[in-house]
Amino acid sequence: MKFSEIHPEQWEELKPYLDTCLIPVTGLSGKEPPHETVYALERLRDVMDWVEIPFKGRVVTYPAFQYGRQEIVQQINEVCANVKSAGFKYVIVISADVELDSSMLYESDLVVTPGRFPGSTEESSSTSVMREIQAMWFPDKQV
């Protein structure tokens, strides 16, 4: 679910069910010609589908960090902390093109990038991400 789909009067009612925030990172530099920008956004969309489709109704997607790479780590940490203080229990940071260091993103609960699954198919990577999210939500259960 996109953040813009939640009406103010619905938030308190939905908050217990929408406990996970997805923060996309595009990682553009501004030097990309328009067609490369489109490809980058399409790649990000495809990776976001690993989370948004199977967990619709529990995950809210926030606006993406469009520009910057490693230098935006502190900003991402601040946003992760802020969305948690606004009511989200979990925060997932996701990128298709930027290999983010999960140890540096200490305010996030999970970092998802395709590079975490070298040699994997898109389907097996998607399945691995689903398992990691379920393990995050249900740490005492074997998933």
Side-chain angles (χ1 to χ4, degrees):
M1 177 174 249
K2 305 284 187 234
F3 68 95
S4 58
E5 297 171 348
I6 302 171
H7 299 285
E9 62 277 0
Q10 295 175 304
W11 177 236
E12 287 305 316
E13 181 183 333
L14 294 174
K15 192 190 287 188
Y17 307 103
L18 299 172
D19 66 350
T20 304
C21 181
L22 183 65
I23 299 180
V25 178
T26 310
L28 298 171
S29 68
K31 295 179 182 179
E32 302 84 2
H35 67 278
E36 286 182 22
T37 302
V38 170
Y39 297 150
L41 292 170
E42 288 172 346
R43 286 189 301 274
L44 180 58
R45 176 208 57 212
D46 292 346
V47 175
M48 288 171 56
D49 282 351
W50 299 353
V51 178
E52 288 181 316
I53 291 172
F55 300 115
K56 184 177 182 178
R58 184 149 183 194
V59 174
V60 177
T61 301
Y62 264 45
F65 280 88
Q66 299 290 7
Y67 295 93
R69 289 193 176 253
Q70 293 301 331
E71 66 275 6
I72 61 173
V73 168
Q74 187 55 40
Q75 290 177 340
I76 295 171
N77 277 320
E78 287 175 24
V79 169
C80 290
N82 290 343
V83 297
K84 284 182 177 181
S85 70
F88 288 98
K89 186 172 181 179
Y90 305 102
V91 179
I92 301 170
V93 176
I94 190 165
S95 183
D97 294 329
V98 182
E99 286 305 320
L100 299 162
D101 183 347
S102 60
S103 67
M104 292 180 71
L105 291 173
Y106 50 85
E107 294 290 348
S108 70
D109 296 288
L110 182 63
V111 176
V112 175
T113 62
R116 292 184 55 220
F117 312 102
S120 297
T121 65
E122 185 172 332
E123 185 176 330
S124 65
S125 295
S126 173
T127 301
S128 295
V129 168
M130 286 175 51
R131 284 191 189 116
E132 288 185 29
I133 292 170
Q134 290 169 336
M136 177 182 71
W137 287 338
F138 308 108
D140 298 332
K141 289 188 176 183
Q142 191 79 347
V143 269

